[in-house]
Amino acid sequence: MDTAAPARPDIPGDRSPVRRVQMLGYASGNFGKNVLASTMDFFLLFILTERWGISPAAAGLVVMIGLVWDGVCDPLLGRLVDRSADRLGAYRRMLFVGAPVVGIFFAIFFLRPGAPGSLGQHAIMVWAITIVLLFRSAYSVCDVAHNALMMQLTRTPGAATTVSGLRYMFSCCGTLAVAYCAPAFVDPDRDGGHALVVVAGLAAVAYVVTLWLSAAAAPRSTPMSTHAQNGSFAWIVGNRPLLMLLALALAQALTLPVLARSVAYIGKGVIHDAGWTGHALATLALAQLVTLPGWMALARRRERRVVLRFALVAIAIGLGIFAAGPATMIAGIAVFGAGNAGLQMMIWILLADAVDHGERRTGVRLEGLPVALLLLTLKVGGGLSGALLGRGLSAIGWTVGQPLVQESRDLLLTMAWSIPLVGALAGLAIVLGSTPARLNRPAAIA
């Protein structure tokens, strides 16, 4: 991979107090984003099946429709912001206006549409799909703006590692908050459902506050760069680091989320302890948070290829430990989380590298479109993954209120680790098959 773009004289150095405050303020948005994203990722399927009585296959379809629609919206928004003469202003406006809309639709989703059994399956499906699509449309606006804003903060050597690491630290804190509140989702009707409504409302407020903080922390000016009017297709197709990244992102998004999404079902159907779900998710988040500084240090000193290989091998080892039996599942989740922290951090570092590579190659800097393409890939993969899990649950005979037979329990556990393992091995093959020039540069120390 080419060397990093030279530092811009009109951007404060990454060591300056102003720059660090900007990075922290920006990265805090990942707390609110991940509170909502983790909630929907871990519990959307579960809420649809266990609270609303939708079949697992139909619930998986709702998950897929929402994420795919979100992903399809992203490139359209990315293309628009890349054409803007004031990209930073556009990012801030999208965050300030869009965040409250996202929070409102998120909170509405967790209000039961009528008393149990008062609505038919068709009406509940229509209601669920409508709210999910409205939520995902608004979420897409903020997601593109927030992630594209990162590209403005990574234009000095080493900044991508710092910003990506800080983002993921806040994401892990968001996951911890969701894990703490897991009982409200695993047992949504306790206390008449009031706990679920309160938790959803607090999550929505956290999202709005942190996204507004991110917008307020954005730099007020940016170096002039050539804005794309035409040739975006050639910019993307000729950007080999970006194409490699998209392949890696699809492989992991299609498979790795199956483990975390299975946790609520394992806690209820295999362990028979709702508290186990929160414990497992907390372990996942803590393992990521604790190991992240080590991944940041490694990314500054070793080649991209080496760091990715270590992360994917750690994920595979964690899945192997998880598969060994009930006594080792939590330990396996911890090792899996440690590897996943490195992988997720590196994905956004590689995106910043790809944006810089495209600017050096063509003289045109695209930000919104490459960010949107990565989001499209992640969300389509995640949507298909949700549909795959829903089909799998139907195949093993998961039925609301009915205990699982031993064979179904074994199949559920096998599905939880085997699908992510396939993804980890596929990601490893992509990394090993890429030419060294695309992944050979460590980040400069920020």
Side-chain angles (χ1 to χ4, degrees), residues 172-425:
C172 293
C173 291
T175 302
L176 277 174
V178 173
Y180 178 78
C181 298
F185 299 101
V186 177
D187 189 9
D189 289 323
R190 68 174 188 165
D191 300 326
H194 297 307
L196 180 61
V197 173
V198 170
V199 168
L202 291 175
V205 171
Y207 178 85
V208 175
V209 170
T210 55
L211 265 291
W212 280 358
L213 182 58
S214 282
R220 289 297 187 269
S221 63
T222 182
M224 294 299 294
S225 61
T226 303
H227 294 271
Q229 299 300 325
N230 296 295
S232 297
F233 179 78
W235 193 98
I236 296 296
V237 172
N239 194 322
R240 293 186 176 182
L242 178 62
L243 298 179
M244 185 283 301
L245 171 60
L246 295 178
L248 175 63
L250 180 61
Q252 66 90 27
L254 187 60
T255 57
L256 299 192
V258 169
L259 178 62
R261 288 172 174 166
S262 300
V263 164
Y265 291 96
I266 294 172
K268 182 175 182 178
V270 178
I271 308 299
H272 306 298
D273 180 6
W276 183 88
T277 297
H279 181 45
L281 293 177
T283 299
L284 177 66
L286 280 172
Q288 294 178 114
L289 187 61
V290 169
T291 58
L292 195 54
W295 288 114
M296 293 172 68
L298 186 65
R300 292 190 177 105
R301 292 168 175 80
R302 300 299 297 271
E303 298 175 356
R304 307 292 203 220
R305 172 197 290 262
V306 173
V307 180
L308 284 169
R309 187 164 62 232
F310 285 165
L312 289 163
V313 168
I315 288 172
I317 291 173
L319 292 167
I321 295 172
F322 180 91
T328 62
M329 284 197 298
I330 293 295
I333 288 172
V335 178
F336 172 89
N340 193 52
L343 175 61
Q344 301 305 322
M345 183 193 75
M346 288 303 300
I347 283 175
W348 292 96
I349 293 175
L350 291 173
L351 178 62
D353 287 349
V355 169
D356 289 341
H357 173 83
E359 184 178 18
R360 290 192 299 273
R361 188 177 64 87
T362 66
V364 173
R365 183 176 180 86
L366 293 181
E367 295 170 352
L369 186 56
V371 164
L373 288 175
L374 177 59
L375 292 175
L376 170 64
T377 303
L378 293 173
K379 292 170 183 176
V380 169
L384 293 174
S385 175
L388 178 65
L389 178 58
R391 286 289 181 184
L393 290 169
S394 290
I396 67 173
W398 182 278
T399 305
V400 178
Q402 299 296 321
L404 287 177
V405 300
Q406 185 60 48
E407 181 182 4
S408 296
R409 295 177 195 172
D410 294 340
L411 288 172
L412 174 58
L413 292 174
T414 300
M415 184 168 57
W417 65 260
S418 61
I419 295 174
L421 182 60
V422 170
L425 295 177

Side-chain angles (χ1 to χ4, degrees), residues 26-170:
Y26 162 75
S28 69
N30 271 61
F31 176 85
K33 283 173 56 180
N34 209 51
V35 166
L36 267 58
S38 292
T39 298
M40 298 299 271
D41 202 34
F42 299 156
F43 300 118
L44 173 58
L45 195 71
F46 190 82
I47 289 288
L48 290 173
T49 58
E50 303 306 298
R51 193 181 197 216
W52 295 355
I54 297 175
S55 71
L61 183 63
V62 174
V63 173
M64 184 185 72
I65 289 173
L67 280 170
V68 170
W69 171 255
D70 188 338
V72 169
C73 291
D74 290 336
L76 302 176
L77 293 166
R79 188 73 178 107
L80 287 175
V81 296
D82 275 335
R83 288 178 173 271
S84 173
D86 179 18
R87 294 183 188 179
L88 283 172
Y91 300 154
R92 286 195 297 270
R93 289 189 294 273
M94 291 165 73
L95 292 175
F96 277 123
V97 175
V101 179
V102 174
I104 289 170
F105 284 124
F106 176 84
I108 288 175
F109 177 81
F110 292 96
L111 300 176
R112 186 198 294 273
S118 63
L119 295 177
Q121 288 291 299
H122 177 72
I124 291 178
M125 278 289 291
V126 171
W127 189 89
I129 291 173
T130 300
I131 296 300
V132 167
L133 287 178
L134 290 171
F135 166 76
R136 285 293 176 187
S137 298
Y139 190 90
S140 177
V141 172
C142 294
D143 208 19
V144 169
H146 186 261
N147 286 297
L149 186 56
M150 176 183 170
M151 300 303 107
Q152 291 290 336
L153 293 170
T154 59
R155 301 182 72 172
T156 54
T161 299
T162 302
V163 177
S164 183
L166 288 173
R167 279 165 48 104
Y168 207 65
M169 283 183 180
F170 278 104

